Structures are given as C-alpha cells and as structure tokens.
Amino acid sequence: MVALLIQNLSSFPSTSSLLSLYASFSTSLMLFRNVYHELVPKKLEEFLKAKFKSYFSTYKISPCYDSFIIDDSWEGISRNKLLEIAKFYLSTKIGPQNKIIRVGKFSGQKKLTAGLVKGQETVDSFQGIDIKWHFDLQSREDGRGEYFKLSFEAKHRDKVFDEYLKHIITIHKSMTRNSKERVLMLYSLCHGNWISIEFEHSATFDTIAMDSDLKKSIVQDIDRFLTRKDYYKRIGKAWKRGYLLYGPPGTGKSSLIAAMANYLKYDIYILELSDIGSDYQLRSTILETDRKSIIVVEDIDCTSEVHDRSKSDEDSDSSDFSCDSDDKDVSFSLSSLLNCVDGLWSSSLEERIIVFTTNHKEVLDPALLRPGRMDMHIHMSYCSREGYRVLVSNYLEIKEHPLFKEIDEVIESVEATPASLAEEMMKSDDPDIALAQVLKFLNQKKIEKAAVQDDENSLT
C-alpha cells in the first residue's frame, strides 16, 4: 500500500512543470485577446454583447402574480363596504404619476373628492410589497358597476389578504374618525342604496325646548347605553337602544334626534318605509347601516303595516289618523320589521340607536311598543314655561323681559307647540315686538280654546 502511494506521488507533475504550463496558457490567452481586438471592431463587439445579453434575459424567470377583485356584484344581502373603503384609501394615494384624475364636489360635502378614472392604475407599497391597483367598470344586470383589481407577486398572497387589506380598513377608520363630520344618510329608491350629505344641524340638549327633567333622563339613558357593551353581551342582547318619540307635530321630535346625534357623534340614517317594497329589501336596507349610527323611522303611524292588528282594515281606512301615502305599494310585513328591531336580525345592529317617531302612538301595534323594541317612550308635549324660556334665549338672546309674567299665565292654559312659538318670535329681531306677537298669538289660542269648550258644553 505504501509502495503504491509512493509510486503515485512520483508520477504527479512537479511545481516547475505547473508554472511552465501556466505561463504558456497566459501567453496564449494574451495572444488571443490581441488577435480578437485586431480582427473584431469595437462596434461589432458592442453589438455581440447586446445580443448575448438580450438572449439570456428572454429566458429570465418572471415572478408569478395573483389578483384580488373588489366589486359590488356579490349576491349577498348587503353591499360590499370594502369597495367604498378602497375608494377612500386610494384617494390618498393619487399623486403626480396620475396624469388624469376624477374630481368632484357633491351635495353636502365641503371638500373636493378625488379618484381614479376608468382604466387607470396606481401602485401602493406595503412592507416592501408593491400592490398595483387597477380601476375599471363592469356591466351588471342592474347597470354598470365599479371594481378594483389588486395585483401582486403570488408569494405575498397571504400577507396581502391577511395584513394589507386590514391595513387599509384601519387607515380608513383612523382618518374618518379623526376628521369625521356627522352625515345624514338617505335611502335612494332609484339607486337602491344609501346616499349621504353632511349633517350640520346645530341642535343640542341645551337648545331644545323641553322639560329639564325629561332631558336629563334622556341623557342619563344614553350615557348608560354607551358604557354597557359588556353588559349587553353578558345578558345575551344586541347592543342597541330603541326610542319612541310621540306627540303632536311641531313639538321638537326632529330637533331631539339631531341633539342625540350631536351628543353621541353618530350619523343619522333616515328610513322611509314608503320606499320599501319587500321584507328582503327592508332587511338589506337596515343591515347596510353602519355602527355608531341612529336609524330613524319618521311618522311610523303613516304605514298601515304597523297599526294595531286588532283593528279591521275598514276601521284603519276610516281612521281620522290615516295618512295620504299610498300604503298598497308597501309589501313588507310587520313581523319582518319587528325581527329587524328585536329579533335574530337585530343581532347585526350592534352599537346603534333606533328611533321611531309618531304623531299618534295609539294607532301603533302594541307588539312594536313593548320594551326591548322601544326601550324608552318619550312624550314630546306642548311648550311649557321652562321650554319657552329656552326658546327665548335661543331666538332673542334674552333672559328676562316684562312680558314674561303675562306670557307665563297664558302658555300653560293653551296648547302651543315650540315650532309655532318659534315662528312668532322670528317675525322680528326686536324682543319687545317679538314677545308682543307671541302674547297676541297665545291669547288668540286661548279664545279659540274657550270657543270650542263652549260648543262642547252646549251639545251636552
């Protein structure tokens, strides 16, 4: 074995032989290089390099891309809110690279709105990932709808879905919370969705003309509701609160709703039941409302479906309280409305206030009025002395006046709404003239009331 190893070592080239071979190879390489430069022109060399590079770049492996589509063509019961969130988010990403943008100012909005035009793209970066957004329109059975297409490298698919989409939702919530103004949402029968305008009603609990104890009880009830999220969860009820505002027209029901919205910093959704044509539409419309909102159903007594079921159709039709609206076009059921307010569907109405208003509480079905549906019944009555003082402070900016004593003696004996007294005060900026006009109005109401009582006494 040792002899074989010695024999192999003796046959290995010597160091001098290796150095001689290297010198010979280097000389040949230098000779070839000189010949190449002599025979191949510089321009031909650059051309060959370019072709060589192009050949290999053609076969370069390109990354695989995946895409997400955000549109509103789902068959679900509510709209795809991510579409509106994406619009808002991308409006903050429009920059110099977007040579053409959509701009507009819509009803009730103070600021301009910017957006992408059809076929345009913009690129967003998230944690080193480039996400390309493409905006376009698509044809649908109910018209042309908008959609966004997100494209990104396939290896980032999970990260885009789990983190990036949540990121844009978080940004939307943060920006709308920090700069949010109240909005009034109206249901559009033509478009089949909610449209918004800015809500600028200035009513507060300090400015509405009603009894101070009643105002205090309402504020305490609202405050209790806001702090009871865990309580509602523990007892197995949806975190919502229902209010019924009832009383004659002009007693401040709308002003109270505005004061509640300003106090809570909630948006208002006005739901016109006359625009609802089916149980499905009623449910989908209500479910499209957002959290931290007040859902208002005004003049609910004008919808025959919510009248007392113990009354015959003939009695309801002949009632003095029947409305001029065409109820035959309203085809949703009372049970569906009750289910949305206090049934299984109501579990989707977390962190919401539901307010019904009516001029005639007595015509409503008792099932709609029970606790859990309408938790607090608030009687909006005629103007009292205390309420009138608030009106005078609001409209005339005074706290005392010689006519107050005479007005106080009359106002409690007549039925005058805050709206009618406010109308009288608006006839003059001079407190003397305005209050004299109010006193004249109240005395006239007193005379009319006495005449009616005389007629009733003569009949008996």
Side-chain angles (χ1 to χ4, degrees):
M1 184 71 177
V2 175
L4 181 61
L5 178 61
I6 294 174
Q7 182 180 356
N8 289 336
L9 288 175
S10 62
S11 63
F12 192 81
S14 64
T15 302
S16 59
S17 298
L18 290 174
L19 289 175
S20 176
L21 180 62
Y22 174 75
S24 176
F25 176 77
S26 299
T27 302
S28 300
L29 186 62
M30 292 179 63
L31 179 61
F32 175 78
R33 180 181 177 185
N34 291 334
V35 172
Y36 172 80
H37 285 298
E38 288 291 337
L39 298 178
V40 180
K42 186 67 175 177
K43 290 185 177 181
L44 179 59
E45 180 183 357
E46 293 176 354
F47 174 78
L48 293 175
K49 286 181 178 179
K51 285 295 183 180
F52 185 80
K53 184 177 181 181
S54 175
Y55 175 81
F56 283 97
S57 63
T58 302
Y59 294 94
K60 182 180 179 181
I61 300 176
S62 300
C64 181
Y65 282 86
D66 281 356
S67 298
F68 293 155
I69 299 293
I70 302 175
D71 64 7
D72 201 19
S73 61
W74 292 65
E75 295 297 330
I77 196 168
S78 63
R79 73 186 190 277
N80 185 3
K81 295 182 180 180
L82 188 57
L83 182 63
E84 297 300 321
I85 292 174
K87 283 184 185 179
F88 181 90
Y89 178 78
L90 289 182
S91 68
T92 67
K93 299 297 179 180
I94 295 176
Q97 73 278 9
N98 302 109
K99 303 303 180 183
I100 303 176
I101 61 175
R102 301 165 64 200
V103 294
K105 187 176 186 303
F106 302 96
S107 176
Q109 293 185 349
K110 294 180 179 179
K111 299 179 180 178
L112 292 175
T113 299
L116 297 175
V117 300
K118 175 186 175 183
Q120 196 173 52
E121 296 178 347
T122 189
V123 178
D124 189 25
S125 180
F126 175 75
Q127 297 183 6
I129 305 172
D130 288 336
I131 299 101
K132 182 171 68 175
W133 289 78
H134 176 86
F135 174 75
D136 215 327
L137 302 175
Q138 60 184 350
S139 297
R140 301 188 317 196
E141 292 183 0
D142 57 348
R144 301 183 69 186
E146 300 174 327
Y147 76 92
F148 289 101
K149 179 180 179 182
L150 294 72
S151 299
F152 45 85
E153 288 190 39
K155 63 181 180 181
H156 301 306
R157 179 191 182 101
D158 291 341
K159 197 174 190 67
V160 171
F161 187 85
D162 295 330
E163 299 183 32
Y164 178 65
L165 294 180
K166 291 181 180 179
H167 164 73
I168 68 174
I169 294 174
T170 301
I171 293 297
H172 173 264
K173 288 182 177 180
S174 176
M175 296 184 69
T176 52
R177 180 174 60 247
N178 294 337
S179 61
K180 183 169 183 170
E181 298 175 347
R182 306 278 71 74
V183 296
L184 179 65
M185 305 292 292
L186 305 172
Y187 186 76
S188 171
L189 185 61
C190 297
H191 297 89
N193 57 19
W194 292 97
I195 58 175
S196 66
I197 60 174
E198 287 186 8
F199 178 71
E200 297 181 337
H201 202 297
S202 58
T204 66
F205 282 106
D206 292 330
T207 62
I208 54 177
M210 63 187 305
D211 181 75
S212 60
D213 289 338
L214 180 56
K215 283 195 286 187
K216 183 178 180 181
S217 65
I218 296 172
V219 173
Q220 289 176 342
D221 191 79
I222 291 174
D223 289 340
R224 191 181 306 113
F225 164 76
L226 291 175
T227 60
R228 282 187 142 190
K229 179 179 180 180
D230 294 336
Y231 171 79
Y232 277 87
K233 183 177 181 180
R234 178 168 60 83
I235 64 176
K237 290 178 65 67
W239 185 30
K240 63 178 183 59
R241 194 72 173 161
Y243 295 92
L244 175 70
L245 311 185
Y246 67 98
T251 51
K253 293 185 282 292
S254 296
S255 294
L256 177 57
I257 294 171
M260 294 170 68
N262 287 328
Y263 184 80
L264 288 162
K265 294 182 172 54
Y266 278 15
D267 295 331
I268 297 179
Y269 286 77
I270 303 293
L271 180 60
E272 294 285 351
L273 293 181
S274 59
D275 291 339
I276 304 300
S278 66
D279 289 343
Y280 175 85
Q281 187 180 13
L282 176 65
R283 291 192 295 267
S284 62
T285 300
I286 292 180
L287 290 178
E288 285 178 1
T289 62
D290 291 324
R291 288 176 178 265
K292 295 184 181 295
S293 63
I294 300 177
I295 304 172
V296 180
V297 182
E298 292 186 308
D299 299 324
I300 191 172
D301 53 288
C302 291
T303 304
S304 61
E305 279 72 11
V306 299
H307 288 186
D308 192 336
R309 287 171 292 184
S310 64
K311 297 181 180 180
S312 66
D313 292 339
E314 182 180 353
D315 290 336
S316 291
D317 292 340
S318 61
S319 172
D320 292 336
F321 304 132
S322 62
C323 298
D324 295 331
S325 60
D326 188 2
D327 288 334
K328 66 178 180 296
D329 292 334
V330 182
S331 58
F332 68 87
S333 62
L334 175 60
S335 61
S336 181
L337 179 62
L338 297 179
N339 198 20
C340 288
V341 174
D342 188 36
L344 292 176
W345 285 101
S346 69
S347 61
S348 300
L349 298 181
E350 289 283 316
E351 203 171 1
R352 288 172 176 83
I353 300 289
I354 302 175
V355 178
F356 286 172
T357 72
T358 179
N359 297 332
H360 307 289
K361 176 183 176 182
E362 63 274 16
V363 305
L364 301 181
D365 192 298
L368 187 64
L369 304 178
R370 74 167 178 79
R373 288 168 180 160
M374 294 297 104
D375 302 289
M376 188 174 186
H377 296 199
I378 303 172
H379 183 211
M380 307 297 292
S381 186
Y382 294 105
C383 198
S384 64
R385 296 178 184 179
E386 186 178 2
Y388 179 67
R389 287 291 192 276
V390 176
L391 286 177
V392 173
S393 177
N394 292 341
Y395 285 84
L396 302 178
E397 297 182 318
I398 60 173
K399 299 294 184 182
E400 297 293 337
H401 194 275
L403 287 178
F404 278 0
K405 183 177 181 180
E406 192 173 353
I407 290 175
D408 288 345
E409 293 175 354
V410 184
I411 198 170
E412 295 289 353
S413 62
V414 299
E415 295 179 343
T417 64
S420 62
L421 296 177
E423 183 64 27
E424 295 299 322
M425 283 188 288
M426 291 178 66
K427 292 179 179 180
S428 176
D429 294 331
D430 186 331
D432 295 335
I433 298 175
L435 293 179
Q437 188 68 34
V438 169
L439 183 58
K440 178 181 177 181
F441 171 79
L442 292 174
N443 284 327
Q444 182 62 36
K445 296 280 290 185
K446 186 176 181 180
I447 293 172
E448 293 172 357
K449 182 179 180 180
V452 171
Q453 289 178 344
D454 290 341
D455 291 340
E456 293 176 349
N457 292 335
S458 63
L459 291 175
T460 58

